[in-house]
Amino acid sequence: MSAAASHLVHLDWREGAAWLTLDRPGRGNALVPELLAALRARIDEARQAGAGALVLTGRGRAFSAGGDVARFAALSGDSSDLLDWSREIVGALNAAILDLLAFPMPVIAALNGPVTGGAAGLMLAADMVVMSEEAFLQPYYAQMGFAPDGGWTALLPSRIGTARALEVQYLNQRLSAADCLRLGLASETCPPAQLEARVRARLATLAEMDAGTLAVTRANVWNEERRAAVARDLERELHGFLALIARPQTRERMQAFLAPLAAGEGRR
């Protein structure tokens, strides 16, 4: 991890657990290669240090806005550059998801705000999800003309059912924190100010359990064969993403999505 990227993901230790915080709040913690490289390095650091659990959260109003649409749009004039960038970013996201699935101890997502696009993969790779009542989950792929990545087709159907997962993506449905709780995507929801305390309570309970049992349980659930199957499905998502990202209609949809945001900046 480069020194320039190290500030994008912070690692703090609290009661034996590693807390990783995405820190790109000015861009909604949008995923870029530098942030994902920093995340993977921090995950590895926590693993090597023997963390009793891993907590992943974000700084600012959003957990993560997923891919940086403005960056995709800026590259859309050169299909070669756009494809190279897309391959890099989705490939790095896939690797980070697999790193989380392979982590030897429990993984908790503390969702401080919205989770959109490929950032869902960081949520879906967690064993437990504590969600602020202000957070929500939304795909945006069909609106943007992107192919789903981040586990929307590789992980979500097994969590909430195939038909429900397809409906959410076809219609770009927004799942509130309450919706996520009802569907089993969230373990609990809470007011924003209580998020850290609720996570700490879960960590305190985990600390009372036998660490060897926790490790074997996670290793047996996310065994090598199961992770290999997820890796194949994530690779399929990458190919689908590359097939759609450079189309003229996708460029037009990105521009339409960004136009109101640019107009709002101009009024400030």
Side-chain angles (χ1 to χ4, degrees):
M1 175 176 54
S2 69
S6 63
H7 70 283
L8 295 175
V9 180
H10 298 288
L11 169 58
D12 301 301
W13 292 93
R14 306 175 198 174
E15 295 86 32
W19 289 64
L20 306 187
T21 304
L22 308 181
D23 192 1
R24 196 171 176 247
R27 302 294 298 180
N29 294 321
L31 305 177
V32 292
E34 298 84 359
L35 183 146
L36 289 167
L39 175 59
R40 296 193 66 199
R42 295 301 193 193
I43 293 170
D44 186 60
E45 185 178 347
R47 180 186 61 78
Q48 293 193 43
L54 182 72
V55 179
L56 183 59
T57 191
R59 179 177 168 230
R61 296 179 61 185
F63 172 73
S64 176
D68 193 331
V69 177
R71 186 70 176 270
F72 282 114
L75 293 169
S76 63
D78 187 319
S79 60
S80 178
D81 288 346
L82 179 58
L83 289 171
D84 287 345
W85 165 265
S86 300
R87 186 177 292 105
E88 180 180 11
I89 187 70
V90 178
L93 173 59
N94 289 351
I97 292 169
L98 293 170
D99 287 347
L100 288 170
L101 295 180
F103 196 77
M105 297 300 284
V107 175
I108 301 176
L111 303 183
N112 55 299
V115 183
T116 58
L122 306 180
M123 170 187 181
L124 295 170
D127 307 318
M128 293 175 276
V129 175
V130 182
M131 201 166 181
S132 162
E133 292 169 349
E134 295 182 355
F136 61 82
L137 176 67
Q138 191 165 5
Y140 283 102
Y141 295 103
Q143 178 180 342
M144 302 300 302
F146 293 173
D149 66 338
W152 280 92
T153 62
L155 291 168
L156 186 64
S158 65
R159 295 287 301 276
I160 67 173
T162 300
R164 188 72 179 95
L166 288 171
E167 179 185 14
V168 169
Q169 294 177 73
Y170 288 158
L171 302 180
N172 190 32
Q173 291 180 341
R174 175 172 295 190
L175 299 179
S176 67
D179 293 331
C180 289
L181 183 64
R182 175 175 52 82
L183 290 169
L185 291 171
S187 308
E188 66 174 305
T189 64
C190 62
Q194 296 180 17
L195 185 64
E196 182 174 340
R198 297 291 185 92
V199 174
R200 283 180 177 270
R202 286 177 176 264
L203 291 172
T205 300
L206 287 173
E208 297 174 355
M209 305 302 169
D210 183 81
T213 301
L214 298 179
V216 170
T217 301
R218 194 165 209 270
N220 285 347
V221 169
W222 287 114
N223 57 62
E224 186 175 351
E225 293 78 12
R226 191 175 179 196
R227 286 185 281 112
V230 173
R232 288 193 297 271
D233 289 342
L234 291 174
E235 184 70 14
R236 187 177 297 112
E237 289 187 343
L238 170 59
H239 291 309
F241 198 94
L242 295 175
L244 298 188
I245 189 61
R247 300 178 306 160
Q249 55 265 53
T250 300
R251 181 171 62 250
E252 292 169 2
R253 286 181 173 275
M254 286 192 288
Q255 292 169 346
F257 176 80
L258 292 170
L261 302 179
E265 291 176 358
R267 286 194 294 268
R268 287 200 295 270

